[in-house]
Amino acid sequence: MTIKRKTDLSENGDNKRMDVLLTDASSRICYSALRSLASLGLKVAVADTSRTGMSQWSRLASATYTYSSPFSDEEAFIRDINQILRETGAKFLLPAYGEAEILSKYRKRLPHDVTLPVASYESLQIGNDKELMWQFAKDLDVPVPDKFEWASLEELEAKVRGYGDEVVIKLRRGHAAKGVFYASDAEGAVALCRRLINEYQLKPERYPIVQKKIQGNKWTVSCVYHEGRLLDIFTQRMLREKPLSGGASTYRISVRNKDMEDYATRILDGLKFNGIAMVEFKYHEEADQVWFIELNPRLWGAISHSVAAGADFVKTLYVACTKGYDEAWKMVQQYRLGMYSRWLMGDVMIAAAEIKKLRVKGALKALMPMKSDDYDDFKMDDPGAFAGEIGYFFTKAVKSRAARKDSSVG
C-alpha cells in the first residue's frame, strides 16, 4: 500500500488525528460526502486505489491514502483499510461505492470502536443482486417488470420469439449502465446471452436476467436509515443519462412522488436497512404506472443534488451515528422542489461519445448551457476537485487505450 499524506499524523498530536475515513476518493460520490463532513468541521481522510481524483485534489481532504483493489484482492484491501484506520485514528468509516459490501462482510475484522454505517452483509448481498431484488420487491407487492424464466438458450429463444418486442438483458450484478443490454429481437437476445455466458463463465443459476422492456422515465428515491429507522428521503427525476440509452444521470430535477416513496421505504424496511440507499424506478406518466428497477444499497452518483436541495444525507447519518437518531431528526427539513442539477463531466463524456458516432447534434445538445442550480463536480470554492476529476478520467482513458493496444499484440 502506498501512503500519501497531506498532513503529518503524529501519534501524540490529537489535533492532527482524523475523524473520518472515506473510500473511493476519485468519485464525485465521495467528494460530495467529503464536502458534507468537512462542513461539520471534521478532519476527513480519503482513500482510493488511485492517487488522482476529485477528493485527492480537493482542498477539503486532510489526508489522502491509496489501498489495494477491493474487487481483486479483498484480503489486501481489508489489511490496508485497517492500517489506514490505525494511522489516522478515524472512528467513522464511510464507503462511497461497491466496497461497502466487502467492508460489511469483514466488519468483525475492523476495529471494534470504528463505526461503519452500512447494512448487514446479508442485506447487501440481496440488494446488489438484481435477480434477488426483483423477487424481493415482487414478494412485497411492489410492481416489477415482467421477466422470462429460462434454463437454456433454446428455451429463451422460443419465449422471446413469441414476445416480439424489445427486451432488456441484465447481468445479476452491476451498476448504472454496466451490465445492462438491449435486444430488438429473439436472435439478438440469444446472441447477447450466449456471449455473456461465455465471457463471464456463468453457471445456469447465474444466467442473465431477461425482462420485457417497459416504457417510461427513470425516477429515483433515495433514503437514509439509522439502524432500521427512516430519517430522510429525496426523490428526483432523470432528464438525461450517460449513456443516453440509460445509466448514470447527468441532468435531473428534484420532485416528489408518494407512490414511489412508499414502495422505496417498503423495500428498505423489509431489508431492515442501515445507511444510505437509492431505489430506482421507471414511471410511465400518462398511464401513472410505476415499476421497481433496482436497488443501489449505497451512496449514489447524484447525491450532491440532494445536498444542494436541502437533504444532506451524509451529514444526517453522521449525526445519527455519533449523537443519536433524535438529534439527526432535528436536522431533517423539507427539501427544495423543482431544483435542477448537472454532472458536467458526464455531459462532456456524452458529447465525446456522440462525436465518435458522428452525431454532432447530440454532442451539442449535451454541452449546451441549461438551467442548473448546482453541479455535482464543478464547485467555485474548490476548483482543485474538478481538476482532479479531469485528471482521473484522462488517466483512465490512457490506461484503457494502452490495455487495448497490448491485447492486440501477437
Side-chain angles (χ1 to χ4, degrees), residues 395-409:
T395 302
K396 187 177 179 180
V398 169
K399 289 181 178 178
S400 176
R401 185 173 181 180
R404 289 197 300 270
K405 184 176 180 180
D406 288 345
S407 67
S408 67
V409 176

mmCIF file of all heavy atoms in Angstrom, residues 395-409:
data_model
loop_
_atom_site.group_PDB
_atom_site.id
_atom_site.type_symbol
_atom_site.label_atom_id
_atom_site.label_comp_id
_atom_site.label_asym_id
_atom_site.label_seq_id
_atom_site.Cartn_x
_atom_site.Cartn_y
_atom_site.Cartn_z
ATOM 1 N N THR A 395 -6.444 9.887 -17.135
ATOM 2 C CA THR A 395 -5.561 8.759 -16.810
ATOM 3 C C THR A 395 -6.234 7.433 -17.115
ATOM 4 O O THR A 395 -5.620 6.506 -17.660
ATOM 5 C CB THR A 395 -5.156 8.812 -15.328
ATOM 6 O OG1 THR A 395 -4.511 10.070 -15.067
ATOM 7 C CG2 THR A 395 -4.216 7.671 -14.977
ATOM 8 N N LYS A 396 -7.517 7.335 -16.778
ATOM 9 C CA LYS A 396 -8.275 6.111 -17.030
ATOM 10 C C LYS A 396 -8.361 5.812 -18.519
ATOM 11 O O LYS A 396 -8.204 4.663 -18.953
ATOM 12 C CB LYS A 396 -9.676 6.259 -16.434
ATOM 13 C CG LYS A 396 -10.518 5.002 -16.484
ATOM 14 C CD LYS A 396 -11.867 5.253 -15.783
ATOM 15 C CE LYS A 396 -12.742 4.017 -15.852
ATOM 16 N NZ LYS A 396 -14.051 4.259 -15.184
ATOM 17 N N ALA A 397 -8.580 6.858 -19.331
ATOM 18 C CA ALA A 397 -8.678 6.677 -20.776
ATOM 19 C C ALA A 397 -7.350 6.227 -21.372
ATOM 20 O O ALA A 397 -7.294 5.365 -22.251
ATOM 21 C CB ALA A 397 -9.140 7.981 -21.427
ATOM 22 N N VAL A 398 -6.255 6.814 -20.882
ATOM 23 C CA VAL A 398 -4.927 6.442 -21.382
ATOM 24 C C VAL A 398 -4.622 4.986 -21.045
ATOM 25 O O VAL A 398 -4.137 4.215 -21.889
ATOM 26 C CB VAL A 398 -3.855 7.375 -20.786
ATOM 27 C CG1 VAL A 398 -2.454 6.838 -21.088
ATOM 28 C CG2 VAL A 398 -4.011 8.785 -21.330
ATOM 29 N N LYS A 399 -4.926 4.577 -19.809
ATOM 30 C CA LYS A 399 -4.681 3.192 -19.409
ATOM 31 C C LYS A 399 -5.533 2.218 -20.214
ATOM 32 O O LYS A 399 -5.070 1.138 -20.599
ATOM 33 C CB LYS A 399 -4.957 3.029 -17.914
ATOM 34 C CG LYS A 399 -3.923 3.694 -17.020
ATOM 35 C CD LYS A 399 -4.250 3.455 -15.546
ATOM 36 C CE LYS A 399 -3.189 4.066 -14.646
ATOM 37 N NZ LYS A 399 -3.524 3.884 -13.202
ATOM 38 N N SER A 400 -6.790 2.600 -20.460
ATOM 39 C CA SER A 400 -7.681 1.731 -21.229
ATOM 40 C C SER A 400 -7.184 1.565 -22.657
ATOM 41 O O SER A 400 -7.190 0.464 -23.215
ATOM 42 C CB SER A 400 -9.094 2.322 -21.226
ATOM 43 O OG SER A 400 -9.963 1.558 -22.021
ATOM 44 N N ARG A 401 -6.712 2.656 -23.234
ATOM 45 C CA ARG A 401 -6.196 2.598 -24.616
ATOM 46 C C ARG A 401 -4.933 1.745 -24.676
ATOM 47 O O ARG A 401 -4.757 0.947 -25.604
ATOM 48 C CB ARG A 401 -5.903 4.007 -25.111
ATOM 49 C CG ARG A 401 -5.476 4.072 -26.569
ATOM 50 C CD ARG A 401 -5.357 5.491 -27.036
ATOM 51 N NE ARG A 401 -4.969 5.578 -28.435
ATOM 52 C CZ ARG A 401 -4.793 6.686 -29.111
ATOM 53 N NH1 ARG A 401 -4.978 7.874 -28.494
ATOM 54 N NH2 ARG A 401 -4.439 6.680 -30.376
ATOM 55 N N ALA A 402 -4.072 1.882 -23.675
ATOM 56 C CA ALA A 402 -2.840 1.097 -23.636
ATOM 57 C C ALA A 402 -3.160 -0.391 -23.491
ATOM 58 O O ALA A 402 -2.525 -1.248 -24.106
ATOM 59 C CB ALA A 402 -1.957 1.566 -22.498
ATOM 60 N N ALA A 403 -4.184 -0.700 -22.675
ATOM 61 C CA ALA A 403 -4.573 -2.104 -22.475
ATOM 62 C C ALA A 403 -5.098 -2.708 -23.763
ATOM 63 O O ALA A 403 -4.792 -3.859 -24.096
ATOM 64 C CB ALA A 403 -5.618 -2.194 -21.368
ATOM 65 N N ARG A 404 -5.901 -1.940 -24.497
ATOM 66 C CA ARG A 404 -6.428 -2.435 -25.783
ATOM 67 C C ARG A 404 -5.294 -2.668 -26.769
ATOM 68 O O ARG A 404 -5.299 -3.657 -27.528
ATOM 69 C CB ARG A 404 -7.437 -1.446 -26.354
ATOM 70 C CG ARG A 404 -8.759 -1.389 -25.610
ATOM 71 C CD ARG A 404 -9.835 -0.724 -26.448
ATOM 72 N NE ARG A 404 -9.480 0.625 -26.792
ATOM 73 C CZ ARG A 404 -9.771 1.695 -26.064
ATOM 74 N NH1 ARG A 404 -10.419 1.551 -24.912
ATOM 75 N NH2 ARG A 404 -9.438 2.906 -26.439
ATOM 76 N N LYS A 405 -4.304 -1.768 -26.764
ATOM 77 C CA LYS A 405 -3.169 -1.906 -27.680
ATOM 78 C C LYS A 405 -2.355 -3.139 -27.327
ATOM 79 O O LYS A 405 -1.960 -3.922 -28.209
ATOM 80 C CB LYS A 405 -2.285 -0.650 -27.593
ATOM 81 C CG LYS A 405 -1.129 -0.673 -28.583
ATOM 82 C CD LYS A 405 -0.363 0.641 -28.502
ATOM 83 C CE LYS A 405 0.806 0.622 -29.495
ATOM 84 N NZ LYS A 405 1.574 1.905 -29.419
ATOM 85 N N ASP A 406 -2.139 -3.375 -26.024
ATOM 86 C CA ASP A 406 -1.355 -4.535 -25.593
ATOM 87 C C ASP A 406 -2.065 -5.828 -25.952
ATOM 88 O O ASP A 406 -1.436 -6.821 -26.314
ATOM 89 C CB ASP A 406 -1.111 -4.474 -24.090
ATOM 90 C CG ASP A 406 -0.121 -3.386 -23.713
ATOM 91 O OD1 ASP A 406 0.572 -2.900 -24.614
ATOM 92 O OD2 ASP A 406 -0.066 -3.007 -22.519
ATOM 93 N N SER A 407 -3.395 -5.817 -25.827
ATOM 94 C CA SER A 407 -4.152 -7.056 -26.082
ATOM 95 C C SER A 407 -4.140 -7.433 -27.551
ATOM 96 O O SER A 407 -4.426 -8.585 -27.899
ATOM 97 C CB SER A 407 -5.606 -6.885 -25.604
ATOM 98 O OG SER A 407 -6.276 -5.924 -26.390
ATOM 99 N N SER A 408 -3.800 -6.485 -28.417
ATOM 100 C CA SER A 408 -3.787 -6.769 -29.842
ATOM 101 C C SER A 408 -2.432 -7.279 -30.317
ATOM 102 O O SER A 408 -2.280 -7.713 -31.459
ATOM 103 C CB SER A 408 -4.180 -5.514 -30.630
ATOM 104 O OG SER A 408 -3.180 -4.515 -30.481
ATOM 105 N N VAL A 409 -1.427 -7.184 -29.447
ATOM 106 C CA VAL A 409 -0.081 -7.616 -29.835
ATOM 107 C C VAL A 409 -0.042 -9.136 -29.962
ATOM 108 O O VAL A 409 -0.499 -9.862 -29.088
ATOM 109 C CB VAL A 409 0.949 -7.140 -28.794
ATOM 110 C CG1 VAL A 409 2.325 -7.673 -29.146
ATOM 111 C CG2 VAL A 409 0.977 -5.619 -28.738
#
